[in-house]
PDB file of all heavy atoms in Angstrom:
ATOM      1  N   ARG A 106      -1.561 -10.961   3.419  1.00  0.00           N
ATOM      2  CA  ARG A 106      -1.583 -10.696   1.981  1.00  0.00           C
ATOM      3  C   ARG A 106      -0.200 -10.237   1.532  1.00  0.00           C
ATOM      4  O   ARG A 106       0.481  -9.518   2.256  1.00  0.00           O
ATOM      5  CB  ARG A 106      -2.626  -9.639   1.656  1.00  0.00           C
ATOM      6  CG  ARG A 106      -4.038 -10.120   1.928  1.00  0.00           C
ATOM      7  CD  ARG A 106      -5.011  -8.966   1.884  1.00  0.00           C
ATOM      8  NE  ARG A 106      -6.344  -9.368   2.278  1.00  0.00           N
ATOM      9  CZ  ARG A 106      -6.796  -9.344   3.528  1.00  0.00           C
ATOM     10  NH1 ARG A 106      -6.022  -8.948   4.506  1.00  0.00           N
ATOM     11  NH2 ARG A 106      -8.031  -9.709   3.800  1.00  0.00           N
ATOM     12  N   ILE A 107       0.162 -10.641   0.339  1.00  0.00           N
ATOM     13  CA  ILE A 107       1.471 -10.292  -0.216  1.00  0.00           C
ATOM     14  C   ILE A 107       1.274  -9.265  -1.324  1.00  0.00           C
ATOM     15  O   ILE A 107       0.417  -9.436  -2.192  1.00  0.00           O
ATOM     16  CB  ILE A 107       2.181 -11.542  -0.774  1.00  0.00           C
ATOM     17  CG1 ILE A 107       2.384 -12.568   0.344  1.00  0.00           C
ATOM     18  CG2 ILE A 107       3.506 -11.163  -1.407  1.00  0.00           C
ATOM     19  CD1 ILE A 107       2.890 -13.901  -0.145  1.00  0.00           C
ATOM     20  N   VAL A 108       2.075  -8.211  -1.287  1.00  0.00           N
ATOM     21  CA  VAL A 108       2.015  -7.150  -2.290  1.00  0.00           C
ATOM     22  C   VAL A 108       3.436  -6.906  -2.799  1.00  0.00           C
ATOM     23  O   VAL A 108       4.346  -6.648  -2.021  1.00  0.00           O
ATOM     24  CB  VAL A 108       1.433  -5.846  -1.688  1.00  0.00           C
ATOM     25  CG1 VAL A 108       1.411  -4.738  -2.719  1.00  0.00           C
ATOM     26  CG2 VAL A 108       0.046  -6.093  -1.107  1.00  0.00           C
ATOM     27  N   SER A 109       3.597  -6.971  -4.096  1.00  0.00           N
ATOM     28  CA  SER A 109       4.915  -6.759  -4.698  1.00  0.00           C
ATOM     29  C   SER A 109       5.323  -5.291  -4.631  1.00  0.00           C
ATOM     30  O   SER A 109       4.504  -4.396  -4.807  1.00  0.00           O
ATOM     31  CB  SER A 109       4.894  -7.199  -6.159  1.00  0.00           C
ATOM     32  OG  SER A 109       6.098  -6.836  -6.801  1.00  0.00           O
ATOM     33  N   ILE A 110       6.620  -5.077  -4.383  1.00  0.00           N
ATOM     34  CA  ILE A 110       7.163  -3.713  -4.426  1.00  0.00           C
ATOM     35  C   ILE A 110       8.127  -3.560  -5.597  1.00  0.00           C
ATOM     36  O   ILE A 110       8.966  -2.667  -5.599  1.00  0.00           O
ATOM     37  CB  ILE A 110       7.851  -3.323  -3.099  1.00  0.00           C
ATOM     38  CG1 ILE A 110       8.949  -4.311  -2.723  1.00  0.00           C
ATOM     39  CG2 ILE A 110       6.831  -3.162  -1.998  1.00  0.00           C
ATOM     40  CD1 ILE A 110       9.818  -3.866  -1.560  1.00  0.00           C
ATOM     41  N   GLU A 111       7.989  -4.433  -6.571  1.00  0.00           N
ATOM     42  CA  GLU A 111       8.888  -4.373  -7.730  1.00  0.00           C
ATOM     43  C   GLU A 111       8.812  -3.022  -8.437  1.00  0.00           C
ATOM     44  O   GLU A 111       9.797  -2.555  -8.975  1.00  0.00           O
ATOM     45  CB  GLU A 111       8.599  -5.520  -8.698  1.00  0.00           C
ATOM     46  CG  GLU A 111       9.037  -6.876  -8.178  1.00  0.00           C
ATOM     47  CD  GLU A 111      10.525  -6.956  -7.855  1.00  0.00           C
ATOM     48  OE1 GLU A 111      11.360  -6.563  -8.695  1.00  0.00           O
ATOM     49  OE2 GLU A 111      10.856  -7.417  -6.743  1.00  0.00           O
ATOM     50  N   GLY A 112       7.663  -2.365  -8.427  1.00  0.00           N
ATOM     51  CA  GLY A 112       7.535  -1.049  -9.046  1.00  0.00           C
ATOM     52  C   GLY A 112       7.807   0.087  -8.081  1.00  0.00           C
ATOM     53  O   GLY A 112       7.624   1.256  -8.416  1.00  0.00           O
ATOM     54  N   GLY A 113       8.215  -0.236  -6.851  1.00  0.00           N
ATOM     55  CA  GLY A 113       8.456   0.769  -5.823  1.00  0.00           C
ATOM     56  C   GLY A 113       7.396   0.693  -4.734  1.00  0.00           C
ATOM     57  O   GLY A 113       6.393  -0.007  -4.863  1.00  0.00           O
ATOM     58  N   LEU A 114       7.643   1.429  -3.670  1.00  0.00           N
ATOM     59  CA  LEU A 114       6.685   1.443  -2.565  1.00  0.00           C
ATOM     60  C   LEU A 114       5.409   2.213  -2.903  1.00  0.00           C
ATOM     61  O   LEU A 114       4.327   1.857  -2.450  1.00  0.00           O
ATOM     62  CB  LEU A 114       7.328   2.041  -1.314  1.00  0.00           C
ATOM     63  CG  LEU A 114       8.251   1.123  -0.535  1.00  0.00           C
ATOM     64  CD1 LEU A 114       8.953   1.887   0.580  1.00  0.00           C
ATOM     65  CD2 LEU A 114       7.499  -0.062   0.035  1.00  0.00           C
ATOM     66  N   ARG A 115       5.529   3.270  -3.690  1.00  0.00           N
ATOM     67  CA  ARG A 115       4.348   4.086  -3.995  1.00  0.00           C
ATOM     68  C   ARG A 115       3.217   3.269  -4.619  1.00  0.00           C
ATOM     69  O   ARG A 115       2.080   3.302  -4.126  1.00  0.00           O
ATOM     70  CB  ARG A 115       4.711   5.278  -4.884  1.00  0.00           C
ATOM     71  CG  ARG A 115       3.499   6.163  -5.196  1.00  0.00           C
ATOM     72  CD  ARG A 115       3.873   7.399  -5.984  1.00  0.00           C
ATOM     73  NE  ARG A 115       4.731   8.298  -5.239  1.00  0.00           N
ATOM     74  CZ  ARG A 115       4.310   9.163  -4.317  1.00  0.00           C
ATOM     75  NH1 ARG A 115       3.033   9.238  -4.024  1.00  0.00           N
ATOM     76  NH2 ARG A 115       5.158   9.949  -3.695  1.00  0.00           N
ATOM     77  N   PRO A 116       3.461   2.493  -5.686  1.00  0.00           N
ATOM     78  CA  PRO A 116       2.352   1.705  -6.251  1.00  0.00           C
ATOM     79  C   PRO A 116       1.798   0.675  -5.264  1.00  0.00           C
ATOM     80  O   PRO A 116       0.592   0.422  -5.237  1.00  0.00           O
ATOM     81  CB  PRO A 116       2.953   1.018  -7.468  1.00  0.00           C
ATOM     82  CG  PRO A 116       4.253   1.675  -7.733  1.00  0.00           C
ATOM     83  CD  PRO A 116       4.665   2.387  -6.493  1.00  0.00           C
ATOM     84  N   ALA A 117       2.668   0.090  -4.447  1.00  0.00           N
ATOM     85  CA  ALA A 117       2.206  -0.887  -3.457  1.00  0.00           C
ATOM     86  C   ALA A 117       1.295  -0.222  -2.427  1.00  0.00           C
ATOM     87  O   ALA A 117       0.235  -0.754  -2.079  1.00  0.00           O
ATOM     88  CB  ALA A 117       3.401  -1.546  -2.773  1.00  0.00           C
ATOM     89  N   LEU A 118       1.690   0.963  -1.953  1.00  0.00           N
ATOM     90  CA  LEU A 118       0.870   1.666  -0.973  1.00  0.00           C
ATOM     91  C   LEU A 118      -0.420   2.199  -1.592  1.00  0.00           C
ATOM     92  O   LEU A 118      -1.465   2.226  -0.936  1.00  0.00           O
ATOM     93  CB  LEU A 118       1.678   2.788  -0.321  1.00  0.00           C
ATOM     94  CG  LEU A 118       2.864   2.300   0.521  1.00  0.00           C
ATOM     95  CD1 LEU A 118       3.677   3.484   1.039  1.00  0.00           C
ATOM     96  CD2 LEU A 118       2.412   1.405   1.660  1.00  0.00           C
ATOM     97  N   GLU A 119      -0.366   2.602  -2.852  1.00  0.00           N
ATOM     98  CA  GLU A 119      -1.588   3.023  -3.543  1.00  0.00           C
ATOM     99  C   GLU A 119      -2.566   1.853  -3.661  1.00  0.00           C
ATOM    100  O   GLU A 119      -3.775   2.023  -3.528  1.00  0.00           O
ATOM    101  CB  GLU A 119      -1.250   3.591  -4.919  1.00  0.00           C
ATOM    102  CG  GLU A 119      -0.598   4.962  -4.841  1.00  0.00           C
ATOM    103  CD  GLU A 119      -0.059   5.465  -6.176  1.00  0.00           C
ATOM    104  OE1 GLU A 119       0.013   4.677  -7.160  1.00  0.00           O
ATOM    105  OE2 GLU A 119       0.305   6.652  -6.237  1.00  0.00           O
ATOM    106  N   ARG A 120      -2.030   0.666  -3.878  1.00  0.00           N
ATOM    107  CA  ARG A 120      -2.874  -0.534  -3.941  1.00  0.00           C
ATOM    108  C   ARG A 120      -3.524  -0.801  -2.579  1.00  0.00           C
ATOM    109  O   ARG A 120      -4.709  -1.140  -2.507  1.00  0.00           O
ATOM    110  CB  ARG A 120      -2.042  -1.735  -4.381  1.00  0.00           C
ATOM    111  CG  ARG A 120      -2.835  -3.009  -4.454  1.00  0.00           C
ATOM    112  CD  ARG A 120      -2.009  -4.158  -4.968  1.00  0.00           C
ATOM    113  NE  ARG A 120      -2.747  -5.388  -4.789  1.00  0.00           N
ATOM    114  CZ  ARG A 120      -2.211  -6.583  -4.882  1.00  0.00           C
ATOM    115  NH1 ARG A 120      -0.927  -6.721  -5.180  1.00  0.00           N
ATOM    116  NH2 ARG A 120      -2.951  -7.649  -4.687  1.00  0.00           N
ATOM    117  N   LEU A 121      -2.753  -0.651  -1.487  1.00  0.00           N
ATOM    118  CA  LEU A 121      -3.326  -0.850  -0.161  1.00  0.00           C
ATOM    119  C   LEU A 121      -4.447   0.152   0.114  1.00  0.00           C
ATOM    120  O   LEU A 121      -5.461  -0.191   0.724  1.00  0.00           O
ATOM    121  CB  LEU A 121      -2.248  -0.735   0.921  1.00  0.00           C
ATOM    122  CG  LEU A 121      -1.208  -1.842   0.975  1.00  0.00           C
ATOM    123  CD1 LEU A 121      -0.272  -1.629   2.159  1.00  0.00           C
ATOM    124  CD2 LEU A 121      -1.846  -3.208   1.033  1.00  0.00           C
ATOM    125  N   GLU A 122      -4.271   1.367  -0.346  1.00  0.00           N
ATOM    126  CA  GLU A 122      -5.325   2.363  -0.161  1.00  0.00           C
ATOM    127  C   GLU A 122      -6.560   2.005  -0.983  1.00  0.00           C
ATOM    128  O   GLU A 122      -7.686   1.997  -0.478  1.00  0.00           O
ATOM    129  CB  GLU A 122      -4.837   3.759  -0.547  1.00  0.00           C
ATOM    130  CG  GLU A 122      -5.916   4.809  -0.364  1.00  0.00           C
ATOM    131  CD  GLU A 122      -5.457   6.213  -0.705  1.00  0.00           C
ATOM    132  OE1 GLU A 122      -4.359   6.394  -1.257  1.00  0.00           O
ATOM    133  OE2 GLU A 122      -6.226   7.152  -0.403  1.00  0.00           O
ATOM    134  N   ARG A 123      -6.340   1.681  -2.222  1.00  0.00           N
ATOM    135  CA  ARG A 123      -7.438   1.387  -3.143  1.00  0.00           C
ATOM    136  C   ARG A 123      -8.211   0.123  -2.721  1.00  0.00           C
ATOM    137  O   ARG A 123      -9.438   0.122  -2.699  1.00  0.00           O
ATOM    138  CB  ARG A 123      -6.871   1.239  -4.550  1.00  0.00           C
ATOM    139  CG  ARG A 123      -7.865   1.076  -5.657  1.00  0.00           C
ATOM    140  CD  ARG A 123      -7.213   1.052  -7.043  1.00  0.00           C
ATOM    141  NE  ARG A 123      -6.225  -0.006  -7.184  1.00  0.00           N
ATOM    142  CZ  ARG A 123      -4.892   0.187  -7.210  1.00  0.00           C
ATOM    143  NH1 ARG A 123      -4.396   1.402  -7.113  1.00  0.00           N
ATOM    144  NH2 ARG A 123      -4.059  -0.827  -7.351  1.00  0.00           N
ATOM    145  N   GLU A 124      -7.497  -0.930  -2.374  1.00  0.00           N
ATOM    146  CA  GLU A 124      -8.142  -2.218  -2.116  1.00  0.00           C
ATOM    147  C   GLU A 124      -8.511  -2.462  -0.655  1.00  0.00           C
ATOM    148  O   GLU A 124      -9.392  -3.265  -0.367  1.00  0.00           O
ATOM    149  CB  GLU A 124      -7.240  -3.355  -2.599  1.00  0.00           C
ATOM    150  CG  GLU A 124      -7.044  -3.347  -4.102  1.00  0.00           C
ATOM    151  CD  GLU A 124      -6.092  -4.438  -4.588  1.00  0.00           C
ATOM    152  OE1 GLU A 124      -5.736  -5.340  -3.803  1.00  0.00           O
ATOM    153  OE2 GLU A 124      -5.707  -4.374  -5.779  1.00  0.00           O
ATOM    154  N   HIS A 125      -7.837  -1.758   0.274  1.00  0.00           N
ATOM    155  CA  HIS A 125      -8.050  -2.047   1.685  1.00  0.00           C
ATOM    156  C   HIS A 125      -8.321  -0.804   2.532  1.00  0.00           C
ATOM    157  O   HIS A 125      -8.438  -0.905   3.752  1.00  0.00           O
ATOM    158  CB  HIS A 125      -6.843  -2.809   2.247  1.00  0.00           C
ATOM    159  CG  HIS A 125      -6.562  -4.064   1.496  1.00  0.00           C
ATOM    160  ND1 HIS A 125      -7.309  -5.216   1.669  1.00  0.00           N
ATOM    161  CD2 HIS A 125      -5.664  -4.348   0.534  1.00  0.00           C
ATOM    162  CE1 HIS A 125      -6.851  -6.159   0.857  1.00  0.00           C
ATOM    163  NE2 HIS A 125      -5.846  -5.652   0.159  1.00  0.00           N
ATOM    164  N   GLY A 126      -8.383   0.359   1.914  1.00  0.00           N
ATOM    165  CA  GLY A 126      -8.696   1.583   2.638  1.00  0.00           C
ATOM    166  C   GLY A 126      -7.598   2.070   3.564  1.00  0.00           C
ATOM    167  O   GLY A 126      -7.858   2.872   4.456  1.00  0.00           O
ATOM    168  N   ILE A 127      -6.375   1.627   3.357  1.00  0.00           N
ATOM    169  CA  ILE A 127      -5.265   2.042   4.212  1.00  0.00           C
ATOM    170  C   ILE A 127      -4.692   3.344   3.671  1.00  0.00           C
ATOM    171  O   ILE A 127      -4.056   3.366   2.625  1.00  0.00           O
ATOM    172  CB  ILE A 127      -4.191   0.937   4.304  1.00  0.00           C
ATOM    173  CG1 ILE A 127      -4.799  -0.273   5.003  1.00  0.00           C
ATOM    174  CG2 ILE A 127      -2.956   1.447   5.042  1.00  0.00           C
ATOM    175  CD1 ILE A 127      -3.902  -1.464   5.085  1.00  0.00           C
ATOM    176  N   ARG A 128      -4.955   4.437   4.389  1.00  0.00           N
ATOM    177  CA  ARG A 128      -4.511   5.763   3.955  1.00  0.00           C
ATOM    178  C   ARG A 128      -3.433   6.342   4.856  1.00  0.00           C
ATOM    179  O   ARG A 128      -2.538   7.019   4.410  1.00  0.00           O
ATOM    180  CB  ARG A 128      -5.707   6.723   3.944  1.00  0.00           C
ATOM    181  CG  ARG A 128      -6.762   6.377   2.941  1.00  0.00           C
ATOM    182  CD  ARG A 128      -7.967   7.322   2.962  1.00  0.00           C
ATOM    183  NE  ARG A 128      -7.614   8.687   3.304  1.00  0.00           N
ATOM    184  CZ  ARG A 128      -8.030   9.307   4.423  1.00  0.00           C
ATOM    185  NH1 ARG A 128      -8.769   8.685   5.300  1.00  0.00           N
ATOM    186  NH2 ARG A 128      -7.691  10.556   4.655  1.00  0.00           N
ATOM    187  N   ARG A 129      -3.553   6.115   6.151  1.00  0.00           N
ATOM    188  CA  ARG A 129      -2.628   6.717   7.113  1.00  0.00           C
ATOM    189  C   ARG A 129      -1.780   5.604   7.730  1.00  0.00           C
ATOM    190  O   ARG A 129      -2.303   4.712   8.378  1.00  0.00           O
ATOM    191  CB  ARG A 129      -3.412   7.448   8.196  1.00  0.00           C
ATOM    192  CG  ARG A 129      -2.529   8.214   9.151  1.00  0.00           C
ATOM    193  CD  ARG A 129      -3.344   9.042  10.130  1.00  0.00           C
ATOM    194  NE  ARG A 129      -4.066  10.083   9.404  1.00  0.00           N
ATOM    195  CZ  ARG A 129      -5.357  10.334   9.554  1.00  0.00           C
ATOM    196  NH1 ARG A 129      -6.070   9.642  10.394  1.00  0.00           N
ATOM    197  NH2 ARG A 129      -5.941  11.292   8.868  1.00  0.00           N
ATOM    198  N   ILE A 130      -0.469   5.695   7.516  1.00  0.00           N
ATOM    199  CA  ILE A 130       0.449   4.654   7.976  1.00  0.00           C
ATOM    200  C   ILE A 130       1.505   5.269   8.877  1.00  0.00           C
ATOM    201  O   ILE A 130       2.117   6.277   8.531  1.00  0.00           O
ATOM    202  CB  ILE A 130       1.136   3.972   6.769  1.00  0.00           C
ATOM    203  CG1 ILE A 130       0.095   3.298   5.872  1.00  0.00           C
ATOM    204  CG2 ILE A 130       2.171   2.958   7.245  1.00  0.00           C
ATOM    205  CD1 ILE A 130       0.654   2.805   4.547  1.00  0.00           C
ATOM    206  N   ALA A 131       1.725   4.632  10.014  1.00  0.00           N
ATOM    207  CA  ALA A 131       2.831   5.000  10.898  1.00  0.00           C
ATOM    208  C   ALA A 131       3.959   4.016  10.598  1.00  0.00           C
ATOM    209  O   ALA A 131       3.794   2.814  10.731  1.00  0.00           O
ATOM    210  CB  ALA A 131       2.417   4.902  12.359  1.00  0.00           C
ATOM    211  N   SER A 132       5.082   4.531  10.155  1.00  0.00           N
ATOM    212  CA  SER A 132       6.235   3.683   9.847  1.00  0.00           C
ATOM    213  C   SER A 132       7.245   3.824  10.968  1.00  0.00           C
ATOM    214  O   SER A 132       7.603   4.931  11.355  1.00  0.00           O
ATOM    215  CB  SER A 132       6.854   4.109   8.511  1.00  0.00           C
ATOM    216  OG  SER A 132       7.966   3.301   8.214  1.00  0.00           O
ATOM    217  N   ILE A 133       7.708   2.693  11.483  1.00  0.00           N
ATOM    218  CA  ILE A 133       8.624   2.733  12.621  1.00  0.00           C
ATOM    219  C   ILE A 133       9.889   1.952  12.317  1.00  0.00           C
ATOM    220  O   ILE A 133       9.870   0.982  11.560  1.00  0.00           O
ATOM    221  CB  ILE A 133       7.969   2.192  13.895  1.00  0.00           C
ATOM    222  CG1 ILE A 133       7.585   0.733  13.711  1.00  0.00           C
ATOM    223  CG2 ILE A 133       6.748   2.997  14.255  1.00  0.00           C
ATOM    224  CD1 ILE A 133       7.252   0.040  14.983  1.00  0.00           C
TER     225      ILE A 133
END
């Protein structure tokens, strides 16, 4: 799935939480 980050990472990650239940992310 493609998610735009044109508005920044925060809105994109909020969308992942809202639509896909992704709350805890390990960034490497």
Side-chain angles (χ1 to χ4, degrees):
R106 294 168 186 90
I107 300 172
V108 178
S109 172
I110 56 170
E111 288 302 311
L114 282 173
R115 181 176 295 280
L118 295 175
E119 287 171 349
R120 179 177 170 194
L121 291 184
E122 180 179 10
R123 186 175 58 253
E124 295 177 11
H125 303 283
I127 295 176
R128 295 179 33 245
R129 186 174 295 131
I130 298 170
S132 180
I133 62 166

